[in-house]
Amino acid sequence: MSQNGTPKPHALRTAQPSDNMNNGFFGQDIISVRQFSPEKLTYIFGVADEMETLVRRFGSADMLSGKVLANLFYEPSTRTASSFMAAMVRLGGRVIPINEVHYSSVSKGESLPDTIRTLECYADIIVLRHPEVGAAQIAADYAAKPIINAGDGIGEHPTQALLDLYTIRKELGRLDGLKVAMVGDLKYGRTVHSLTRLLSRYNTEFYFVSPPILRLPEDMVAEVKARGLKAVEVEDVHEVISDVDVLYVTRVQKERFSDLALYDQVKDYYTVDPELMKMAKPKMALMHPLPRVGEISYAVDQDPRAAYFRQMENGMFIRMALLAAVLGKA
Ligand code: ASP
Ligand code: CP
């Protein structure tokens, strides 16, 4: 386990003279946004800017040549899995993709610790998505090599929150003093949990917009308020739309419901359409971690404030920056 500045022992044993061991990420696990100080965020955003320039100019580099990433996904993914793969490949590394654990020995009953111990025999770093809260931490406790949390149940999705914050900064030019509305499934949405924690570092005014059964967990609301920040919970998005700088919309997380009748009651609660966008500020960022299943109508896609496709692309630059930093090449 290492998330506190000390590299995991394996990283030190295999370090090259050219490795950057003092970047604050070298040989570390990335499990929670709680690990990211403002300085670390600034560093990663700076490296991500450089990665974007690199991709636009050259497409790829050989910075991680000889390195191998194991991409271990126990839950479905399009963006996170493929952007980590693209990030590794564009930096000259290779990937072991395990996108459907059904086809791996997990379906024979192999445990998470043993699966992790297997993959680290072959790879230098492991990206893990798993349905249980805390799974990434368990993996990190067993692994000698770095683990990156790509979503642990309803817990966290730290790399998504990094790319979300990076996108907000790019779209609006600042992070301090923003009014941010989180809309949709705030109970089960791990991206909301991670982003709320990160934005709490800045002087953010929060509006939590959800159906009553999908409110943000009480401890998280308390966490925000304990920082002296404004946190208003509302049900109707019309109450806040004209005030906010960021509208962060999320999908109702069907896979977390044991009672699908309940899911049916809330699945179509909010739809962002051109009518709603007319009420929003002229300079505002409409974001969504994606996939969307009706929360934002296609008619909004051409609106310059619709940032979700740019947000998705930013994910690759952020993940390139993280891979390079953790492997000591940034
Ligand atoms: N893709 C994001 C996640 O895995 C958001 C979502 O699935 O709704 O958390
Ligand atoms: N945003 C996100 O995590 O997308 P995927 O579930 O497709 O990876």
Side-chain angles (χ1 to χ4, degrees):
M1 172 190 351
S2 184
Q3 295 140 46
N4 57 7
T6 324
K8 282 186 148 177
H10 183 274
L12 288 175
R13 276 202 305 278
T14 56
Q16 305 291 308
S18 59
D19 284 350
N20 181 357
M21 287 182 253
N22 299 317
N23 63 17
F25 292 91
F26 177 69
Q28 302 271 306
D29 301 307
I30 308 289
I31 305 298
S32 162
V33 290
R34 293 181 201 278
Q35 293 166 245
F36 288 84
S37 61
E39 295 71 35
K40 278 188 163 179
L41 291 169
T42 305
Y43 174 79
I44 274 303
F45 292 170
V47 179
D49 288 343
E50 286 171 23
M51 293 301 181
E52 177 170 3
T53 307
L54 184 156
V55 170
R56 304 243 184 264
R57 281 206 193 141
F58 310 109
S60 63
D62 61 1
M63 206 181 277
L64 296 183
S65 144
K67 299 287 183 190
V68 176
L69 159 74
N71 225 20
L72 176 60
F73 281 68
Y74 286 72
E75 282 190 333
S77 169
T78 299
R79 275 146 292 271
T80 313
S82 50
S83 63
F84 264 116
M85 286 176 77
M88 193 65 182
V89 170
R90 283 188 186 274
L91 290 176
R94 298 285 185 112
V95 183
I96 303 169
I98 305 192
N99 290 336
E100 272 296 349
V101 288
H102 313 301
Y103 299 115
S104 73
S105 287
V106 169
S107 62
K108 300 179 200 165
E110 190 157 47
S111 67
L112 177 64
D114 279 359
T115 304
I116 291 291
R117 284 186 288 215
T118 305
L119 288 173
E120 72 172 349
C121 295
Y122 315 132
D124 301 288
I125 185 164
I126 298 172
V127 171
L128 172 70
R129 172 171 288 185
H130 196 281
E132 278 158 38
V133 176
Q137 183 60 64
I138 292 172
D141 290 344
Y142 281 93
K145 309 243 177 100
I147 299 288
I148 299 185
N149 183 2
D152 61 330
I154 64 167
E156 283 221 32
H157 193 346
T159 66
Q160 176 74 42
L162 292 179
L163 76 90
D164 290 342
L165 200 70
Y166 181 63
T167 301
I168 294 172
R169 200 186 69 157
K170 266 186 161 176
E171 296 287 317
L172 300 176
R174 67 194 168 101
L175 289 171
D176 253 316
L178 295 173
K179 293 184 179 181
V180 178
M182 304 282 187
V183 182
D185 188 345
L186 312 186
K187 180 177 181 185
Y188 298 123
R190 56 192 171 201
T191 70
V192 170
H193 301 165
S194 288
L195 183 58
T196 298
R197 287 199 177 107
L198 267 194
L199 278 170
S200 298
R201 309 275 173 73
Y202 303 88
N203 196 16
T204 308
E205 277 186 31
F206 288 101
Y207 297 92
F208 296 115
V209 186
S210 71
I213 62 163
L214 295 179
R215 286 168 65 175
L216 193 70
E218 269 172 35
D219 57 329
M220 287 210 63
V221 179
E223 209 177 304
V224 170
K225 288 187 175 163
R227 286 182 172 265
L229 300 174
K230 184 169 163 184
V232 181
E233 292 183 271
V234 297
E235 195 179 335
D236 186 353
V237 69
H238 293 90
E239 284 181 39
V240 303
I241 184 71
S242 56
D243 265 349
V244 296
D245 304 298
V246 177
L247 194 70
Y248 188 91
V249 183
T250 61
R251 170 182 71 94
V252 177
Q253 308 278 294
K254 182 178 184 184
E255 64 273 36
R256 312 291 178 213
F257 283 71
S258 44
D259 179 356
L260 282 183
L262 221 49
Y263 166 75
D264 283 333
Q265 280 173 28
V266 287
K267 69 178 171 34
D268 299 321
Y269 224 77
Y270 303 106
T271 306
V272 178
D273 57 16
E275 280 306 299
L276 189 75
M277 288 301 281
K278 275 188 198 150
M279 291 176 232
K281 286 185 181 175
K283 189 170 165 129
M284 176 265 221
L286 174 62
M287 297 174 62
H288 193 307
L290 301 175
R292 65 175 154 179
V293 286
E295 310 81 40
I296 299 182
S297 80
Y298 281 56
V300 175
D301 292 355
Q302 302 311 320
D303 188 309
R305 294 165 294 181
Y308 32 93
F309 298 125
R310 295 188 289 276
Q311 180 183 354
M312 200 157 57
E313 189 182 26
N314 288 336
M316 184 176 75
F317 306 134
I318 284 288
R319 289 173 176 132
M320 288 172 81
L322 277 175
L323 291 174
V326 172
L327 293 171
K329 306 296 177 190

